[in-house]
Amino acid sequence: MRFSLVIPCYNEAANLPLLLKRCYPLALRDDVEIILVDNGSTDDSPQVLAALLPACPGCRSIRVDVNQGYGHGILAGLAAATGEIVGWTHADLQTDPQDALHGLALFERHGDGIFVKGRRYGRPLADVLFTAGMSAFETLLLATPLWDINAQPTMFSRRFLDTWRNAPHDFSLDLYAYYQARRAGLAVHRFPVHFGERAHGVSHWNVNWAAKRKFIRRTVDFSLQLKNSLKP
């Protein structure tokens, strides 16, 4: 298998029919698999997936019985993946799963020893400013250029994945992967992805400024742990 795309899904039952429709052209490739991780959903996601997946070749699902975080769901999907190149994106359709095709083209052009990430456009100004602030903080703290850390998709080789140790189980996983790629000296390739509205429902973290503050606190805590782990 050339590429495995992991999509963590937490209470996304309303989004799943459209998500699978958008995945279909990608999943038709015989060298691509799409793994939808039912990340401890408490809605009708298991029933929706059971009904829809038989009509979507190249797509399969795994179940995490109890939600243990965004990163935990992704790591569970990566553990089940078989691709030489692996990666993830979100289930809410704010970014299109088919964006991964642009990422795959970069691997074909530059080889497998790179790190590929989207670069979002079309976002509200407040979110852009929030991202800029977090990016500047992480860049200064970790002395490594990091920008638009939570943009998707995120794609890299299995060889790079095999070097990971103690990856976080929450939203800090995006920072961890990006930072480890920088430390490993991988060339980082970005490409523009349109960031739109959710198809259904609301964000599981970007709901209001209280949720943002919680995200900031958790990210800062992880960043400090990451920095301390590098001390001799």
Side-chain angles (χ1 to χ4, degrees), residues 105-136:
L106 291 171
F107 284 97
E108 298 309 312
R109 190 178 313 149
H110 301 286
D112 291 2
I114 63 173
F115 184 82
V116 171
K117 202 163 179 60
R119 185 179 63 249
R120 294 174 288 187
Y121 69 91
R123 304 170 67 209
L125 178 60
D127 286 349
V128 172
L129 294 175
F130 176 78
T131 293
M134 290 300 296
S135 298

Side-chain angles (χ1 to χ4, degrees), residues 69-198:
Y70 160 85
H72 180 85
I74 291 172
L75 292 169
L78 293 175
T82 62
E84 300 166 348
I85 304 299
V86 296
W88 66 79
T89 193
H90 294 161
D92 56 18
L93 293 171
Q94 288 185 288
T95 51
D96 194 324
Q98 292 184 46
D99 290 335
L101 290 171
H102 298 290
L104 280 174
L106 291 171
F107 284 97
E108 298 309 312
R109 190 178 313 149
H110 301 286
D112 291 2
I114 63 173
F115 184 82
V116 171
K117 202 163 179 60
R119 185 179 63 249
R120 294 174 288 187
Y121 69 91
R123 304 170 67 209
L125 178 60
D127 286 349
V128 172
L129 294 175
F130 176 78
T131 293
M134 290 300 296
S135 298
F137 169 79
E138 298 295 353
T139 294
L140 291 171
L141 179 69
L142 298 172
T144 304
L146 301 165
W147 178 256
D148 201 4
I149 296 163
N150 296 100
Q152 306 303 337
T154 300
M155 302 168 64
F156 44 86
S157 72
R158 175 167 297 279
R159 290 195 303 272
F160 173 57
L161 174 63
D162 289 342
T163 68
W164 290 12
R165 299 292 182 270
N166 301 316
H169 286 201
D170 59 12
F171 277 99
S172 302
L173 183 64
D174 287 303
L175 170 62
Y176 176 87
Y178 191 5
Y179 177 68
Q180 294 297 342
R182 289 290 196 192
R183 284 193 72 206
L186 300 184
V188 176
H189 292 265
R190 310 292 296 258
F191 65 95
V193 296
H194 180 259
F195 192 82
E197 297 292 329
R198 282 181 59 94

Side-chain angles (χ1 to χ4, degrees), residues 41-68:
S41 298
T42 57
D43 63 1
D44 293 332
S45 291
Q47 293 83 0
V48 174
L49 287 169
L52 296 180
L53 282 175
C56 195
C59 295
R60 59 189 174 100
S61 69
I62 64 171
R63 166 81 178 174
V64 173
D65 288 332
V66 178
N67 184 281
Q68 299 176 57

